[in-house]
Amino acid sequence: MPAQKTEHSLQKLKVFGVNTCLDNLWTVKNSNITVLALKPQMFPKVLSEIAPAVGPNNIIVSVAAGVTIDSIQQRLPHHAKVVRAMLNTAVQIRDGAICYSTGRNIVDADQELVHRFFTSVGLTLESEEKHLDAVVGLSGSAPAYFYLILEALSDAGVRHGLSRDVSTRHASQAMLGAARMVVGIPRQGGSKSDLPEVGCPYKLKDEVCSPGGVTINAIYSLEKAGVRAAMMDAVDACIKRNYELARLNE
C-alpha cells in the first residue's frame, strides 16, 4: 500500500485502483514488505519516523542509490530486516532488471519472499552489496543510455527519409530483438527460469558482420568514434556519482 504525505501525491495511483495511505507508521505496521522509494536525503527523517513501527517480521527494502544497508540498520531497531535493491524503470512493465542484497537479520524464508516479490516485475538476481554500485551504473541507469541510442538511430532514419514513427519502431524492435538474442527467450509456455545460457555479444555481432559487408563498415565507424569507450565511461561516471551519494548519506 503506497503511503505519501499528501493526498495530491497519491492521486495518480488511485486511478489504478491501488489502496493508498497518508500514514507511514500504519503502512509499516500492516505490511510484510515496506519499500522505501525515496530520495537519499529523505532517509534519515523517514527512518526515524517509521522506526517505532518496525517489528521483527517487517522487511524494509530500499531502492535508493547510495544508501547502504548498514546506514539504514543504524537508524532502525536492532532486529530490523533490511534489503537493498537496485532496479530500473522497466519494472513498470514487469520487464525490469533487479539486483538485491540482504542485511544480517534476513533468514531464508525472508529471502524467498523478497525474491518472489521482485521476480514479479523482472529478472531478479542476488549479489553481495559491494557489487550493487556497479549494478546502478550498468542496468539501473542503462535505460537512459539505450533511449539516447534509440533517439540517435531514429534521427538517422528520419534523416534518410523514414517517418519518425517508422524509424523509432524499427530501431526499438532491432534493439529488443538483439537483447533477446543475447539473453535467450523462454521455451513456448515456459518461464524465465527456463532461459538458456546467456549468449556472447561479440559472437552475435560477428554473425551480422559479413566480410567486406555494410555492417562491418558501420561497426568500424562506431569504433572510430569511440562509442565503446564512451559507454564504459558513462557507467564509470554513474558509479562515481553513486559513491559520492553514499558518502553524503553516511
Side-chain angles (χ1 to χ4, degrees):
M1 177 179 292
Q4 293 276 4
K5 281 298 184 182
T6 65
E7 190 70 31
H8 176 73
S9 301
L10 296 169
Q11 289 303 316
K12 291 182 179 180
L13 296 172
K14 287 186 174 181
V15 299
F16 296 105
V18 176
N19 293 322
T20 60
C21 180
L22 294 171
D23 188 340
N24 287 337
L25 282 173
W26 189 94
T27 300
V28 173
K29 288 179 180 178
N30 292 275
S31 303
N32 292 327
I33 297 177
T34 300
V35 179
L36 302 179
L38 311 168
K39 293 181 179 179
Q41 59 267 30
M42 296 175 64
F43 267 74
K45 179 180 179 180
V46 172
L47 290 175
S48 297
E49 178 187 355
I50 68 172
V54 177
N57 295 320
N58 294 118
I59 300 174
I60 306 299
V61 178
S62 165
V63 296
V67 181
T68 65
I69 291 174
D70 185 60
S71 69
I72 295 172
Q73 290 189 309
Q74 288 178 8
R75 292 180 169 89
L76 294 176
H78 70 278
H79 56 252
K81 296 180 176 182
V82 179
V83 173
R84 180 184 172 194
M86 293 294 107
L87 45 82
N88 60 26
T89 55
V91 297
Q92 296 175 81
I93 59 169
R94 298 189 175 186
D95 207 10
I98 305 102
C99 189
Y100 70 92
S101 298
T102 58
R104 60 177 179 266
N105 296 322
I106 295 292
V107 298
D108 289 346
D110 301 323
Q111 184 172 343
E112 183 180 347
L113 177 61
V114 169
H115 196 85
R116 290 204 314 269
F117 175 75
F118 280 123
T119 300
S120 68
V121 291
L123 174 69
T124 301
L125 302 172
E126 184 188 9
S127 174
E128 295 180 54
E129 186 178 14
K130 66 181 181 181
H131 296 310
L132 289 187
D133 295 313
V135 173
V136 173
L138 188 60
S139 62
S141 297
Y145 315 156
F146 297 146
Y147 296 144
L148 182 65
I149 293 169
L150 281 173
E151 182 183 20
L153 290 172
S154 179
D155 284 346
V158 171
R159 183 183 179 209
H160 286 277
L162 297 177
S163 70
R164 174 65 67 185
D165 180 72
V166 168
S167 187
T168 301
R169 286 179 183 274
H170 274 282
S172 57
Q173 181 58 45
M175 182 175 285
L176 177 61
R180 285 178 171 165
M181 290 285 285
V182 174
V183 301
I185 56 174
R187 296 190 301 272
Q188 187 172 2
S191 65
K192 288 189 176 181
S193 63
D194 298 320
L195 289 175
E197 185 178 350
V198 173
C200 296
Y202 77 89
K203 289 183 179 179
L204 291 167
K205 180 199 72 178
D206 284 350
E207 289 179 7
V208 187
C209 296
S210 303
V214 296
T215 306
I216 192 61
N217 274 275
I219 293 296
Y220 171 73
S221 180
L222 291 171
E223 295 285 14
K224 188 167 62 173
V227 170
R228 185 189 299 265
M231 296 303 296
M232 296 175 72
D233 285 345
V235 173
D236 288 347
C238 187
I239 294 172
K240 179 181 177 182
R241 179 55 180 163
N242 192 60
Y243 286 147
E244 292 171 352
L245 290 175
R247 287 196 294 270
L248 290 173
N249 288 284
E250 289 178 346

